[in-house]
Amino acid sequence: MDGVVRMGRIPGSKHKKMWIREGDIVIINPWEIQDSKADITWKYTRPQVEWLERKGYIKY
């Protein structure tokens, strides 16, 4: 949402279970040292994104 393009990393045991595609909605934690990199904390599924849109939490 801040307009910065970042390289994301899926940490720990999640990296084999989570696949990220272009256009997916994710929650990230930017690195304090390098603003151009971040850890991916959570990926929303399509039904979750639709629910967030209906409730007005996001505008996609």
Side-chain angles (χ1 to χ4, degrees):
M1 294 181 72
D2 58 4
V4 178
V5 177
R6 293 183 173 92
M7 175 70 67
R9 178 179 74 106
I10 303 172
S13 62
K14 295 179 190 175
H15 76 276
K16 290 190 178 184
K17 299 175 185 173
M18 187 184 306
W19 288 82
I20 306 296
R21 295 188 182 122
E22 188 173 337
D24 285 347
I25 305 294
V26 295
I27 295 178
I28 64 162
N29 292 324
W31 291 6
E32 292 180 11
I33 300 168
Q34 293 177 310
D35 194 42
S36 64
K37 295 187 180 180
D39 287 331
I40 297 174
T41 306
W42 187 259
K43 174 189 164 189
Y44 287 105
T45 62
R46 189 71 215 156
Q48 291 171 330
V49 171
E50 291 169 358
W51 184 86
L52 290 169
E53 288 174 342
R54 278 196 315 270
K55 297 294 182 178
Y57 291 112
I58 60 172
K59 295 180 182 178
Y60 183 61

